[in-house]
Structures are given as structure tokens and as C-alpha cells.
Amino acid sequence: MHQIRYFLAVCETLNFTRAAEACHVSQPSLTRAIKALEDELGGPLFRRERNNTHLTGLGEMMRPHLSQVLIETDTAKERARSFGRLENVELKLGMMCTIGPHRFVPFLQGFRERHPKVRLAVQDGSSDELRERLAKGELDIAICGQPEEIDDRFHARRLYDERFVIGVCPGHAFEKQNVVRVKELDGMAYLNRSDCEFFGHAGRLWREQGTTVSMVFRSNRDDWVQSMALAGLGFTFIPEYAVTMPGLCVRPLIDPEIARIIQVVTVRGRPHVPAVGAFVREVLAFPWVTAGPTAS
């Protein structure tokens, strides 16, 4: 790149001494660089005659090409500097489909205000799907919660804990209670969210309490499951901060209480762009304990 800059400086001045001064190098250094460029390109680029330095035919041919190289290089460097300043950057964020937006919107609002030139692309999926996309490099960060420990490929850090609640229709007997005990679910009709990572974990805990439920409906769409619950066809089992349809009555489940840890997950050992580092630092510092709605 120095050779190209020196060549273009001589093109502008048609004087090796003035070109060297403009490039802040000695004339011998500039002359050696031009000679090296001529050797690489296969011929002289200038004819040096007394008071008449001018481009050769090869020099004339190379000038527009090398000018474009310099422009593209400077553009690339500026884009790299902008990237480092978190400007014009897209951050691919995976969000587990059962995590409601209301819990995260306050954080995302603040992050957007501090980094207005970072574009957030949010993709949803199950915990397994998000981990697979992370491993492939299709996501930069994921927000997950699962009953089992995450494997060693990933680095997971806790954000907050989230209880599971029971959702029923208005007028249900549970509406008069502050909490619902697992044993009270025995024999009841159950509306299953098929993407629930905690279904198997919860089922084992319920059986340990001698509780058996009857699955009467199953869907991967939460709006369908909650609509069925609102229609009085059974109860559903949902995370506390998940999206709930208007009118759905939710109560914490206890004895035993079931909760999940919501974590920010990245690929262990992978070099990350500055935007990822900024997001992780700020999401860990956010006051999650006081943020978001609670079940009522």
C-alpha cells in the first residue's frame, strides 16, 4: 500500500522530491518503493528526464486501477473502524420462543439508546435450535432457559430466575387461590405447549407427588393453547413472564415450585465482534430483579 500511495503521489506532482515530502518519507525510500512496484508490475511506470518526469504507457494504464485500490482500501479501513465503534453493525440475537418480550423490552430500549447504530436481528426457536445456530455461527448470542446443564461448547451466564405458573380461565376454582399446589392438578385436563423444554422435567416432579394429568390438547402455538385454557378446556403450564392472552388467570405453582434460569449464551472461546461484548456486558449489568411484570 505504501508503494501505491507513493506512486499516486508522484502521479500528482510529477516530481519525486515533492512526492516524498507529501508522503513524509525520504526521496531514496520513495524511489526504492516505486522501483519495487515497477519490478512487480513488469516495467517502468515513469520516465525521469531533466525537469520532465512523466508517466509511461504502463503507468497511465495502472493509475486508475491503483487509485481504485487505494479508495477501496481506505473505505474498508473506515468500515472496520465503524464496526469497532459499533456503527452499522447487525447483532444476531436468538431468543427462546417462550421468553416474553415484555421482560426484555426495557433492556433492549436502553441498549438501542446507547448503541443506535447497532441493528438487532432477533430470531426465535427452541433451546436446542438456538444452541445449534450458535454453534454454526448463525447467531451471535442466545437467551435460553433449560432444565439441564448446558454443554461445554458454550459459555452461559445467569440473568434471572423465572417461576412457572398455571393458566386457567376466569371463574376457575384456582382464581380464588394465591397459589396452586401440584397435588391439586391431579386428574385435571392439561393443555400442553409442545415446545416446552420443561414438560418432561415437570412431569417427573408431578408423578413423584402422585399427580397424574390428562393431556387433552397439544400445540406448538402458545396462542392456541392459551385460547383453549380461556375456553375452560383445561389448564396450561407456562413461564411467569411469557406472553399471556388478556383474561387468562395465572397462579404460581408450588410444592414443588418449578423455575428456570434464564441465561445469556455465547460460544466458548470464539472471538466476538465488539457489539457482542457490549451486549453481554450490559445484559449482565441490567437490574433484572426489578424489571418486568409478575404473575398476579
Side-chain angles (χ1 to χ4, degrees), residues 4 7 11 28-29 46 55 72 86 89 93 97 109 114 127 143 150 158 179 197 201 254 262 271 278 284:
I4 292 173
F7 165 74
C11 289
S29 295
F46 298 100
L55 286 160
E72 292 292 339
L86 308 187
V89 179
L93 174 63
C97 51
Q109 284 176 319
R114 289 184 294 276
S127 182
I143 306 297
I150 200 162
R158 175 184 174 277
V179 295
E197 287 84 359
H201 176 69
I254 65 168
I262 302 301
L284 290 172

Side-chain angles (χ1 to χ4, degrees), residues 86 110-119 278-279 282:
L86 308 187
F111 185 81
R112 172 69 179 168
E113 290 171 1
R114 289 184 294 276
H115 308 289
K117 295 185 178 180
V118 174
R119 302 186 307 277
F279 186 96
E282 294 186 26

